[in-house]
Amino acid sequence: MSIRNLLKLTFTTIVLMLAGCSGGVLDPKGQVGVDEKNLIILCTILMLIVVIPVIVLTLYFAWKYRASRDFEIYTPKWAHSTKIEALVWSVPVLIIVALGVITWRSTIALDPYAPLEGQGEHLTVEVVSLDWKWLFIYPEQGIATVNELVFPANKPIAFKITSENAMNSFFIPQLGSQIYSMAGMETKLHLIANEPGTFKGISSNYSGAGFSGMKFNAIATPTEADFDAWVEKVKQEDTALTSGSYKELAEPTEDHPVTYYGDVSDGLFHEILMKYMKDHGSMDFYSKPNNAATGMKKAMPDMHKGHHEEVNE
Ligand SMILES: [Cu+2]
């Protein structure tokens, strides 16, 4: 194969591989995603400063010290080169320092738990991962949906996330960060879409048989009015999500269709969250040092005064 053909083949391969990136983390549609893409590219370039010279020099040395050379350099006493030592240590150390600073800063800047600054009021959406579907509760609007997430473009969203049972990971690649959903725990994520569109939402953590159908569309509407119209449409549905119908919904199903609930009972998310917490004392109790040492036995009398009443009623 000629060099020209080889170059053509390489170019075609790269184009085809990059074509697979559309709709993923390298094609972001929101500020968080854009920041993360830049971070990925910057870190990759920094690391290539080491990787590329190593590859080039490996080939160069293999050629330079090839067996068929007719004039040999023979230096059996050679043991040390300050020049080489300085180069191979200083460059990686500088890169590690640079990566360290960048990682430190972006970890704080892209904290998934931190509300997005300067973007205005957040829309709250409560997310529950079920076998094998995603439940979205809109507490402010009093509605709920399955496998469809709708929100206005350019409005930040505060997600509160938990799981009915298995651990999953809530992920809309084009909007940025993923975050785990775990039973009995609430995790948080703040995202924004900076343009309207339909983005793929997935779980990036395998959770069993029906996992491959556990997908949803995240739809960013062009305006808030479009979002309000959608809310009205969902409210028209004569279906209510209560503790009872939730139990039914939580039964394992595969490829669950998009479902709208025109009404949702207050505090359902908290109820799901606290379901597995019945045998714990309140966390305030454990935060006191003298209580933490004595543990559960002394906590028992206090336990049922706390959140248990609201959960168990
Ligand atoms: Cu408890």
Side-chain angles (χ1 to χ4, degrees), residues 25-26 33-47 99 102:
V25 283
L26 294 179
V34 170
D35 292 348
E36 286 175 355
K37 178 192 173 181
N38 293 339
L39 182 63
I40 292 170
I41 291 173
L42 180 64
C43 291
T44 307
I45 290 171
L46 277 173
M47 290 184 280
L99 282 175
I102 292 166

Side-chain angles (χ1 to χ4, degrees), residues 6 37 39 45 53 68 93 98 128 146-147 150 183 192 196 198 211 245 250 253 292 307:
L6 191 67
K37 178 192 173 181
L39 182 63
I45 290 171
S68 63
V93 164
V128 185
V146 175
N147 286 344
V150 177
I192 187 167
T198 300
F211 171 76
S245 54
T253 53
H307 60 274

Side-chain angles (χ1 to χ4, degrees), residues 250-282:
E251 289 295 318
T253 53
E254 292 185 22
D255 298 312
H256 198 90
V258 171
T259 312
Y260 292 158
Y261 292 96
D263 189 34
V264 60
S265 58
D266 281 343
L268 181 64
F269 181 79
H270 185 248
E271 202 178 296
I272 298 166
L273 188 63
M274 298 312 288
K275 199 168 151 182
Y276 301 107
M277 300 284 275
K278 287 175 182 168
D279 300 322
H280 289 259
S282 83

